[in-house]
Short mmCIF file of all heavy atoms in Angstrom, two decimals:
data_model
loop_
_atom_site.label_atom_id
_atom_site.label_comp_id
_atom_site.label_asym_id
_atom_site.label_seq_id
_atom_site.Cartn_x
_atom_site.Cartn_y
_atom_site.Cartn_z
N GLU I 1010 120.81 105.50 105.80
CA GLU I 1010 121.68 104.53 105.15
C GLU I 1010 121.09 103.14 105.29
O GLU I 1010 120.36 102.86 106.24
CB GLU I 1010 123.07 104.56 105.80
CG GLU I 1010 123.77 105.89 105.66
CD GLU I 1010 125.13 105.90 106.34
OE1 GLU I 1010 125.90 104.95 106.15
OE2 GLU I 1010 125.40 106.87 107.07
N VAL I 1034 111.53 103.75 114.45
CA VAL I 1034 111.62 103.15 113.12
C VAL I 1034 111.11 101.72 113.22
O VAL I 1034 111.43 101.01 114.18
CB VAL I 1034 113.08 103.15 112.60
CG1 VAL I 1034 113.17 102.47 111.25
CG2 VAL I 1034 113.64 104.55 112.55
N GLY I 1088 99.35 94.30 109.42
CA GLY I 1088 98.58 95.37 108.78
C GLY I 1088 98.93 96.77 109.22
O GLY I 1088 98.21 97.70 108.91
#
Side-chain angles (χ1 to χ4, degrees):
E1010 298 179 47
V1034 177

